[in-house]
Amino acid sequence: LNRNAMTDFTVAFERDPNIAHYDDFTTNFNPLFAPTRFFAYVGVVVNVFRGIYENGLLKLKKAMVSGQYHNAKGIFYGGQSLQFSYVVLTQFVQNFFKDRAKWPSKVTWIDVHTGLGKYGHDTLFFSSVSDEQFRAGSRAFKGGSVTALGRNQNDVTAGYELTIGAINDLMEAQFQSLFQDNNDKKKKVDTMVISQEFGTKSNVYVARALILENMAYNFLEAVPEWVQEIFKSAFYPRTSKWRRLVLTRGLTVLHQAIEQ
């Protein structure tokens, strides 16, 4: 589930369900019928563009990416408890670093995903970070577009001000618990948690894929192959150019993380 990466859901349950105006867009985000090919190629695009025309792209994006915890059949539903995959991940991290004698001096976590941004180009961004950490990240990942939510935002990071439940927040909490809350000053571990997002298609077509997949999940017994294909092409373009760009920048950032 999107926006599920948190161990305490109290904040999610207690905040205003419409804090990011999600319900204002519910007819755009969550059509109450099974997807058809006509709707996929005409209706859903018109639906999204209508929402943009009436409210603006940034408002629509913020309503979508902020996450919601009250409509279990809606896109970006964050659930009510930590999903099993995240449980396994946190257990792995805790077990991997349980021996203090083997702690490294630095740990870098890079959340690599796709969707928003220029085709094949990446944006590196922090969820929350101090000025010192931001400068360190900018130095470590030279040659890339480094930003942070809430500062020098661009088309990729704009609109995430109300987002909760992202994987980076969970990992920052994990590292805080593991490394920074210990009393052994000789075992200080510097941590850096950052996302790397590779652009695929326009915001509208990424949103379209999410909406269609959710419609199929809710109103069909199985997600049809043609819906799967739309979803896959929105997040993993199968062209040599896109793959080459992703591999080149992905390996560059990996080496920079190792060398810092």
Side-chain angles (χ1 to χ4, degrees), residues 182-199:
N182 74 86
N183 295 318
D184 188 351
K185 302 302 181 183
K186 295 181 180 179
K187 284 293 183 180
K188 185 178 185 301
V189 180
D190 291 328
T191 61
M192 182 179 294
V193 177
I194 195 168
S195 292
Q196 183 180 28
E197 176 145 12
F198 288 94

Side-chain angles (χ1 to χ4, degrees), residues 42-133:
V42 180
V44 70
V45 178
V46 172
N47 217 21
V48 172
F49 271 116
R50 188 181 76 246
I52 294 172
Y53 175 77
E54 293 174 349
N55 300 279
L57 176 59
L58 183 58
K59 187 175 179 181
L60 181 143
K61 179 184 175 183
K62 181 182 288 188
M64 181 180 291
V65 303
S66 294
Q68 55 90 11
Y69 301 85
H70 61 287
N71 181 0
K73 289 189 174 183
I75 60 172
F76 275 88
Y77 175 62
Q80 298 188 355
S81 60
L82 194 65
Q83 295 287 283
F84 181 68
S85 58
Y86 287 135
V87 173
V88 172
L89 174 61
T90 55
Q91 289 176 344
F92 168 80
V93 170
Q94 291 166 4
N95 291 332
F96 189 83
F97 292 112
K98 65 182 178 181
D99 186 352
R100 291 192 180 193
K102 296 181 180 180
W103 278 3
S105 59
K106 288 186 177 182
V107 174
T108 302
W109 170 275
I110 305 173
D111 171 35
V112 182
H113 52 114
T114 63
L116 303 181
K118 185 179 177 181
Y119 184 85
H121 292 257
D122 65 310
T123 299
L124 292 157
F125 61 92
F126 295 95
S127 293
S128 59
V129 67
S130 66
D131 290 341
E132 181 181 350
Q133 290 172 317

